[in-house]
């Protein structure tokens, strides 16, 4: 039986562990200490609680290890990961932002594009919607998808994950930036001129993606705006909650990543530059 591990008992990690356990998989949720996390599933099912084991106490190695810590928390967790895997293990980063996987010395590592919406408050996780991870298609991920077919964790396989990563980067660039800097939920999109600002911001990001060789449909910006239109007013983003709670923001891996690429390609990206600089001023 495949041994699954999930590092990071937050909104994303707890949802992954919950869905794997619901389908009778062998799964262990690992965190910074032994504790229990209260979990409220988004589909009106009963609240439950999941056991969390201190990552430093685990000696076994996992066949598949999901890593759902925030992007800036990954470096600190890397030494622990090395103890939890062997040469055949698959490691799946379930995080937002862009990560150069070649810089992480893990043999079989994948960047997932995460569509799971939830929020952690203390030791309680509330799941709002979606349980989807997009992964690069290859033999290992095809097998994983088959294994998880009966679980509530949906694996979508992509022929070119780079495009899917960039798509999510651009979605996050718009909504995360304005909810964080506007100190409001998706309601902020109703502020006069905000939709125009978001369009211009995504357009700057799109220029960078294109310079990186990523191809999108010409309708991309309208498509993303349509996604935002589907958000309920009260929906927050992780960057909105992080700025509200005075936590470190993931800007180095989203806005900052795109900004650095814009410099490399000598692009004129005034909206991106302004937003990134303002976010830097908020960085804890
Ligand atoms: P989160 O709720 O803050 O959870 C992160 C978890 O990682 C926390 O439980 C934290 O432990 C744990 N952690 C941090 N450092 C650790 C370490 N060294 N060892 C073990 N555990 C450690 O974050 P999240 O919202 O799940 O986000 C995870 C990633 O998914 C982020 O990149 C985020 O942008 C992305 N994402 C989130 C959502 C969403 O709706 N939440 C949606 C899409 C993508 P403590 O509990 O001790 O702090």
């Amino acid at each position: 039986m495949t041994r699954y591990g999930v590092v990071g008992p937050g909104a994303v990690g707890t949802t992954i562990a919950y869905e794997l356990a619901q389908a009778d998989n062998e799964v262990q949720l690992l965190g910074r200490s032994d504790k229990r996390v209260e979990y409220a599933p988004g589909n009106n099912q009963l609240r439950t609680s999941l056991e969390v084991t201190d990552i430093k106490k685990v000696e076994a190695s996992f066949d598949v290890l999901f890593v759902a810590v925030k992007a800036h928390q990954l470096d600190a967790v890397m030494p622990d990961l090395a103890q939890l895997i062997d040469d055949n293990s698959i490691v799946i980063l379930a995080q937002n932002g862009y990560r150069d996987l070649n810089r992480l010395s893990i043999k079989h590592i994948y960047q997932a594009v995460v569509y799971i919406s939830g929020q952690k408050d203390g030791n309680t996780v509330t799941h709002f919607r979606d349980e989807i991870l997009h992964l690069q298609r290859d033999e290992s991920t095809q097998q994983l998808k088959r294994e998880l077919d009966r679980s509530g964790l949906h694996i979508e396989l992509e022929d070119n994950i780079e495009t899917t990563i960039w798509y999510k980067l651009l979605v996050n660039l718009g909504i995360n930036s304005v909810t964080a800097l506007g100190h409001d939920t998706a309601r902020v999109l109703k502020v006069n001129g905000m939709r125009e600002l978001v369009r211009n911001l995504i357009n700057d990001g799109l220029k960078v993606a294109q310079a990186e060789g990523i191809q999108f449909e010409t309708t991309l910006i309208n498509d993303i705006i349509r996604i935002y239109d589907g958000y309920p007013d009260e929906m927050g983003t992780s960057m909105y909650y992080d700025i509200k709670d005075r936590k470190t923001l993931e800007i180095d891996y989203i806005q900052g990543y795109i900004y650095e690429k814009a410099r490399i390609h000598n692009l004129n990206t005034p909206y991106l530059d302004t937003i990134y600089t303002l976010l830097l001023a908020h960085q804890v």
Side-chain angles (χ1 to χ4, degrees):
M1 194 176 189
T2 305
R3 248 179 85 77
Y4 294 97
V6 182
V7 178
V12 169
T14 307
T15 302
I16 294 173
Y18 170 83
E19 293 298 347
L20 291 175
Q22 286 289 97
D24 291 333
N25 289 293
E26 190 183 335
V27 55
Q28 210 170 352
L29 181 56
L30 313 176
R32 289 193 254 227
S33 59
D34 291 331
K35 62 177 178 180
R36 294 198 77 83
V37 179
E38 294 297 313
Y39 183 70
N43 47 8
N44 290 328
Q45 284 186 5
L46 288 180
R47 286 170 76 103
T48 184
S49 98
L50 282 83
E51 185 183 355
V52 178
T53 306
D54 183 338
I55 193 168
K56 297 199 186 296
K57 291 187 184 164
V58 180
E59 283 177 4
S61 78
F62 294 91
D63 302 310
V64 180
L65 190 64
F66 295 90
V67 182
V69 300
K70 289 270 173 71
H72 52 265
Q73 296 170 329
L74 185 64
D75 286 347
V77 93
M78 282 301 287
D80 295 321
L81 294 191
Q83 309 303 314
L84 302 174
I85 56 175
D86 59 35
D87 271 1
N88 298 316
S89 305
I90 290 177
V91 175
I92 296 173
L93 299 182
Q95 301 181 312
N96 274 339
Y98 195 99
R99 174 75 61 171
D100 183 356
L101 299 182
N102 294 321
R103 292 190 177 188
L104 306 173
S105 47
I106 295 179
K107 205 166 167 193
H108 308 290
I109 186 162
Y110 296 84
Q111 169 81 59
V113 179
V114 181
Y115 287 91
I116 292 173
S117 172
Q119 194 192 342
K120 174 171 96 72
D121 186 6
N123 284 329
T124 300
V125 167
T126 306
H127 176 238
F128 301 131
R129 64 184 204 190
D130 303 328
E131 306 88 1
I132 307 167
L133 297 181
H134 293 252
L135 289 170
Q136 176 64 44
R137 182 194 305 279
D138 68 13
E139 269 181 35
S140 303
T141 55
Q142 278 173 322
Q143 187 184 335
L144 180 68
K145 183 178 166 60
R146 277 195 296 275
E147 277 179 27
L148 296 182
D149 251 1
R150 285 185 311 105
S151 86
L153 180 66
H154 303 294
I155 305 290
E156 302 277 343
L157 297 180
E158 303 292 340
D159 292 328
N160 183 358
I161 195 71
E162 290 286 307
T163 308
T164 315
I165 292 173
W166 267 97
Y167 186 87
K168 184 79 191 291
L169 268 180
L170 297 182
V171 171
N172 285 337
L173 172 64
I175 193 70
N176 281 19
S177 303
V178 298
T179 51
L181 290 172
H183 292 263
D184 203 352
T185 57
R187 191 180 303 110
V188 79
L189 291 168
K190 292 190 168 152
V191 171
N192 271 347
M194 194 62 81
R195 288 166 69 95
E196 203 48 34
L197 169 60
V198 163
R199 277 183 176 279
N200 285 316
L201 184 54
I202 300 171
N203 191 47
D204 275 0
L206 176 58
K207 286 190 255 177
V208 183
Q210 286 167 337
E212 285 282 292
I214 307 292
Q215 309 285 336
F216 285 117
E217 300 286 333
T218 51
T219 55
L220 176 89
I221 298 179
N222 285 338
D223 294 345
I224 295 179
I225 297 292
R226 210 166 300 120
I227 293 174
Y228 297 163
D229 286 342
Y231 290 161
D233 277 0
E234 63 280 8
M235 197 200 83
T237 63
S238 48
M239 210 166 272
Y240 160 73
Y241 291 117
D242 285 344
I243 214 164
K244 204 163 139 276
D245 298 340
R246 304 191 65 77
K247 290 186 178 160
T248 305
L249 308 177
E250 291 183 299
I251 55 176
D252 287 352
Y253 303 88
I254 303 174
Q255 294 88 349
Y257 174 78
I258 305 172
Y259 173 87
E260 293 303 335
K261 289 289 178 191
R263 302 291 72 78
I264 290 169
H265 294 291
N266 277 322
L267 294 170
N268 182 29
T269 52
Y271 293 92
L272 171 66
D273 303 0
T274 308
I275 290 287
Y276 177 53
T277 308
L278 288 171
L279 282 168
L280 273 181
H282 280 78
Q283 182 69 289
V284 180

